Amino acid sequence: MPSLWLVIVISWIAQDLLRALITPFMAVPDMYILALGMLFTKESYNEVLILVAAFIGGLLWDARWGAPLGFTSMLYVGCLIVVKIAWGAVSHAAKTPAVAFFLVFSVHLCASLIELILYRNTVLFPGFSFMMKQIGALIFCLFVHARLLREEMD
């Protein structure tokens, strides 16, 4: 179980550092929710702990970046609930890494659109910055998924 918390902490810190460094130029992918979403599709992790981590991480994010307290928590937990419902609707035979990857990325895309609409963030304006955020999300999903696959093989 230590790797669960390691992934969670590293993804939150990495997202925070990248946002501090890159935000004036482009939007940063929500690596924290991507990591939690990829963990959520694995059967070996406690789903309640992942939801609690999403809630706490969202509160810390709001406190750190001045968003309305609890909004990011609501968004993160809501995204994970959507992942859980959609993942539960998929048949056992169809629960492949590609489906998990597509599902988590789709939820990230929807969360990005919600942030775009509610925050009216000019950095996220649909264009180069928004596309780079989604490409970064794809790359991060690949890294987390590769790490989880390696963990399964060990």
Side-chain angles (χ1 to χ4, degrees):
M1 199 57 86
S3 73
L4 167 68
W5 296 109
L6 184 65
V7 168
I8 289 171
V9 169
I10 288 174
S11 64
W12 195 93
I13 291 172
Q15 179 178 334
D16 185 54
L17 287 173
L18 283 175
R19 178 160 181 192
L21 297 173
I22 297 176
T23 294
F25 310 109
M26 63 178 276
V28 176
D30 295 314
M31 293 182 275
Y32 187 67
I33 195 63
L34 290 168
L36 292 175
M38 293 301 286
L39 291 172
F40 215 62
T41 60
K42 297 292 181 187
E43 303 294 327
S44 59
Y45 292 108
N46 187 344
E47 295 167 351
V48 174
L49 286 177
I50 295 174
L51 285 173
V52 168
F55 182 77
I56 292 171
L59 283 178
L60 290 173
W61 191 259
D62 289 340
R64 167 78 169 99
W65 290 101
L69 195 60
F71 176 75
T72 306
S73 294
M74 179 183 64
L75 183 64
Y76 285 175
V77 171
C79 286
L80 289 178
I81 289 172
V82 168
V83 168
K84 175 64 179 166
I85 291 170
W87 190 248
V90 175
S91 70
H92 187 67
K95 289 184 178 181
T96 63
V99 172
F101 180 86
F102 176 74
L103 177 64
V104 171
F105 178 73
S106 298
V107 168
H108 177 269
L109 183 63
C110 291
S112 295
L113 290 173
I114 289 170
E115 288 176 353
L116 176 67
I117 292 167
L118 292 180
Y119 288 141
R120 297 187 190 272
N121 192 346
T122 57
V123 174
L124 279 180
F125 184 75
F128 176 75
S129 179
F130 187 78
M131 295 305 293
M132 292 307 293
K133 179 178 181 174
Q134 303 315 315
I135 290 170
L138 283 171
I139 293 168
F140 186 77
C141 273
L142 286 172
F143 283 134
V144 171
H145 187 66
R147 167 74 175 118
L148 292 175
L149 281 178
R150 193 178 105 208
E151 186 179 287
E152 270 184 16
M153 297 230 180
D154 289 342

